[in-house]
Amino acid sequence: VQILLKLWRNGFSLDDGELRSYSDPANAQFLESVKRGEIPLELQRLVHGGQVNLDMEDHQEQEYVKPRLRFKAFSGEGQKLGSLTPEIVSTPSSPEEEEKSILNAPVLIDDSMPATKIQIRLADGSRLIQRFNQTHRIKHIRDFIIQSRPAFATTDFVLVTTFPNKELTDESLTLQEADILNTVILQQLK
């Protein structure tokens, strides 16, 4: 680690840090270590036993002036959080929720036909995960929601894809035609 010790008339600073007074006992101990040619304990802790290069600049004819903060653009690399479309989470929110969806709304699946899983995020914050055949229609998803949560039977709602947000208005389309295989569908109240 490279550290710059600047000695000022009224104290010293490390790198471009705050002024530290010569009269403070902790600072005096720091300077005594430097005078003896030793690395101060504070810096040893800072680098966890690594190598320290301590450079010094003499500014004892000048009063300490707080350096202006330099703008440093972000130099790290960007990380994307999540994905553009949420993944299907295979574990239900709770065992009770899984039980509710299985007990309340059996969906007849033809195992000889291709199937897909659809996760439905309901307006009440809960979610349902259900297997459907790719030939099931969007209206089957609506029926499944109403059978699973009878409270929504009298509620006016729409089904929306997550990304890009698109309202599924034509409920006669198959899941494959609507291009919603293995996706997340949102229920939005009108």
Side-chain angles (χ1 to χ4, degrees), residues 19-143:
L19 180 69
R20 297 168 66 167
S21 172
Y22 291 130
S23 60
D24 184 344
N27 294 337
Q29 184 180 9
F30 182 95
L31 289 174
E32 274 305 311
S33 296
V34 172
K35 286 179 189 174
R36 288 192 306 265
E38 300 171 356
I39 299 297
L41 191 59
E42 173 185 335
L43 297 181
Q44 289 176 10
R45 284 191 209 122
L46 177 73
V47 297
H48 305 293
Q51 186 175 355
V52 177
N53 293 325
L54 185 64
D55 291 332
M56 294 177 59
E57 285 184 5
D58 185 8
H59 297 276
Q60 291 185 356
E61 295 82 37
Q62 303 170 1
E63 290 287 323
Y64 170 80
V65 177
K66 187 174 183 172
R68 291 176 56 190
L69 294 176
R70 288 178 290 184
F71 174 74
K72 183 178 178 187
F74 175 73
S75 60
E77 74 179 51
Q79 298 293 326
K80 182 171 70 172
L81 298 176
S83 63
L84 295 177
T85 56
E87 290 183 24
I88 298 280
V89 180
S90 61
T91 57
S93 296
S94 66
E96 297 81 28
E97 190 173 303
E98 181 179 13
E99 211 171 284
K100 264 197 254 181
S101 65
I102 291 171
L103 295 177
N104 292 346
V107 173
L108 297 176
I109 304 291
D110 183 351
D111 289 327
S112 67
M113 303 283 291
T116 183
K117 267 190 181 178
I118 303 288
Q119 182 181 132
I120 306 155
R121 296 199 180 165
L122 301 174
D124 65 5
S126 64
R127 67 179 178 170
L128 300 169
I129 299 173
Q130 182 61 46
R131 274 186 68 220
F132 292 93
N133 286 120
Q134 293 180 7
T135 54
H136 275 104
R137 303 200 177 273
I138 295 173
K139 67 181 176 181
H140 292 121
I141 295 176
R142 177 180 288 278
D143 294 342

